[in-house]
Amino acid sequence: MNRWSNAATNEFDIYVDVNNDGIDDYILVAADQGALTTGTFNGVLVTAVFPINPSAPGALAFLATAPSDGSTALLPVRSSNFCAAGHPCMTTLGPGTNKRFTYHAFGFDATSSFVDVVAGTAKFNAGPTSAISQGMFAGLPVGASGAVPVAINPLSGL
C-alpha cells in the first residue's frame, strides 16, 4: 500500500491460523468503524476479529493507530479475541500454553480497485517464550532516544 491521508480508506485483512493446522481460523480486519458497524464510513480505523465460520459473531477490538500521511498502521488485538465458541483458541492457560500462530495478509483501497497481497505466510510466537523479544518493556523519558534491547532465543523456535 502507498501512504494514505486517512488509513480508514483502506481495509487490511490478516488471516490467522491459531492451531497451525494449515487452515485459517480467524480474520483480523482493520477497516473503517462506521463501515463495519453501520455501513456508513466515519473515518475511524478500528480492528475487529471474525471467526472464519460466518455463523459465529465477530467483535470490535480496538481503535487502530495510523498517522495521517503515513504507511504504517498499528492494529492492536488481544489473544483472547482469537477464541470463539466452536473454534480453535489461542488463549489456553497453564502449562503447555500455545500462543504460536501462522498468518498471511492483504490490503485494499476502499476508494479504488487497488489490492496489495503480501506474498507468503509468516509465523509468530506471542507466548512467554518468544524467539525474539519485542522490546515492549523498554522505557525512555519523553524526548530521549536510546537503544532498545533485543534478545534472541533460538531454542524457543516458532
Side-chain angles (χ1 to χ4, degrees), residues 138-146:
L140 291 172
V142 175
S145 63

Side-chain angles (χ1 to χ4, degrees), residues 80-145:
S80 61
N81 291 123
F82 296 102
C83 189
H87 291 77
C89 290
M90 188 190 299
T91 59
T92 306
L93 300 175
T97 296
N98 181 16
K99 296 220 179 188
R100 292 177 167 91
F101 60 91
T102 304
Y103 64 97
H104 58 106
F106 75 92
F108 60 91
D109 184 336
T111 63
S112 73
S113 60
F114 181 77
V115 176
D116 190 6
V117 178
V118 179
T121 60
K123 293 183 178 186
F124 187 75
N125 179 355
T129 58
S130 182
I132 302 173
S133 67
Q134 274 86 92
M136 61 182 107
F137 300 108
L140 291 172
V142 175
S145 63

Side-chain angles (χ1 to χ4, degrees), residues 16 18 23 35 42 47 51 53-54 58 60 62 67 74 78-79 81 92-93 101 130 134 154 156-157:
V16 181
V18 299
I23 300 169
N42 67 1
T47 58
N53 178 344
L60 289 179
F62 293 97
L74 176 62
R78 289 190 172 112
S79 61
N81 291 123
T92 306
L93 300 175
F101 60 91
S130 182
Q134 274 86 92
S156 74

